[in-house]
Amino acid sequence: LPSHQFLKNLSIGTMKDARLKQIRYDLEDERNANILCWIGSSQTAGGGGQLYPREMAGLSPFDSAVQGGDAVWEGLRIYRGRILTCDEHIGRMFRSAKAMGFQNVHTKDQIMVAIFTTLAANGMRDNAHIRLTLSRGVKCTSSMNPKFNLYGTTLIVLPEWKCVSGGKTTYDNSKGISLITASQRRNSPQTVDSKIHHNNLINNILP
C-alpha cells in the first residue's frame, strides 16, 4: 500500500537521523565511541554479516534474543594479537547452542571469519574484549516457540577496548575483586543448567 510504504520510509529515515546524531557516551575508553560491530545471519549467503557503527548496530524486534533472551554467549579476551583460549570458548558456545536445540547454526569457520574481520576493522590486537553472542535467530512471528525460527542463528560480535589494569578497566586485575553473598539462589540443574552459557542472566544480576 502506498501509505504503508510512505510511513515505512519515513520511520526508517527518522531512525537513521536520530541514531546518527552525536551521542554522548560515558566510556571507560573513548575509542569505544567509534567501534564497529558485526551482525549477521547463518542463512545469509556464505554466512556473511555486516559491520555496523555503534550508533547503527541493532537487532530485529523479532530476534529470539529480544523475544526471550534465547541466545548463548562467550567473552573473548585479546592479548598481543591472540585470542585467549579461543577454541575452548567456541567449543562451549557450540555445546550450549546444541543443548538449547538451535538449528541452522553458524559454522566455526563463519564465526572465526566474523571475529577476525571485526578485530581487523577496529585495529584491535591487544587489551580488547569481544562479547560473542549467538541467538536462535529471527522469528517469523512473535512467540517463544522455536518452530517459528526459520532463518538460522544470528551472530553478534561486539568488540571493545578493555584494559585489565589502570583507570580504564571494568575489573582492575591489579586490585583484585570483592565478593558478596547474594540473597538469590542459583538455579538448580533441574531448572536451568548453569553449564549452558545462556543469555538469561537475571539470576546473576539480582542482588
Side-chain angles (χ1 to χ4, degrees):
L1 296 174
S3 58
H4 172 266
Q5 189 61 44
F6 170 76
L7 291 173
K8 180 179 178 182
N9 292 340
L10 181 64
S11 63
I12 292 175
T14 303
M15 288 168 57
K16 286 184 177 179
D17 290 343
R19 287 184 177 183
L20 287 174
K21 287 180 180 179
Q22 185 63 37
I23 300 174
R24 178 184 176 274
Y25 293 113
D26 293 321
L27 302 167
E28 296 171 329
D29 191 313
E30 291 77 11
R31 293 174 293 179
N32 288 330
N34 300 310
I35 56 174
L36 297 171
C37 309
W38 175 285
I39 302 174
S41 168
S42 65
Q43 296 299 87
T44 306
Q50 186 174 340
L51 289 166
Y52 296 89
R54 179 176 181 140
E55 293 85 357
M56 297 299 296
L59 291 179
S60 164
F62 287 95
D63 194 276
S64 296
V66 179
Q67 291 276 319
D70 191 2
V72 297
W73 69 281
E74 293 292 327
L76 308 178
R77 272 281 180 185
I78 293 86
Y79 298 111
R80 296 183 291 277
R82 302 186 66 179
I83 302 173
L84 183 66
T85 59
C86 183
D87 286 341
E88 290 84 348
H89 280 291
I90 300 300
R92 181 169 65 171
M93 171 169 275
F94 279 121
R95 291 193 298 273
S96 295
K98 181 178 180 180
M100 299 270 282
F102 286 9
Q103 301 293 320
N104 300 317
V105 178
H106 285 74
T107 66
K108 182 178 180 180
D109 286 344
Q110 290 170 343
I111 293 175
M112 296 309 296
V113 166
I115 290 172
F116 284 109
T117 299
T118 304
L119 289 175
N122 287 281
M124 293 177 172
R125 292 185 54 83
D126 194 20
N127 284 321
H129 177 272
I130 283 178
R131 172 74 174 233
L132 187 68
T133 302
L134 189 71
S135 88
R136 195 182 297 271
V138 176
K139 294 178 177 293
C140 61
T141 187
S142 179
S143 172
M144 290 186 291
N145 195 329
K147 76 176 184 180
F148 295 115
N149 289 86
L150 306 177
Y151 314 112
T153 52
T154 300
L155 179 67
I156 306 162
V157 185
L158 171 60
E160 290 182 283
W161 297 100
K162 280 186 179 287
C163 299
V164 295
S165 62
K168 296 181 177 180
T169 179
T170 305
Y171 304 107
D172 193 333
N173 286 7
S174 65
K175 297 179 180 178
I177 59 175
S178 298
L179 299 179
I180 64 170
T181 300
S183 60
Q184 300 294 327
R185 281 183 174 271
R186 296 283 295 180
N187 294 320
S188 71
Q190 287 75 26
T191 52
V192 179
D193 191 347
S194 294
K195 290 195 290 293
I196 301 174
H197 213 216
H198 54 79
N199 272 37
N200 280 296
L201 299 177
I202 190 65
N203 190 244
N204 301 63
I205 297 169
L206 291 172

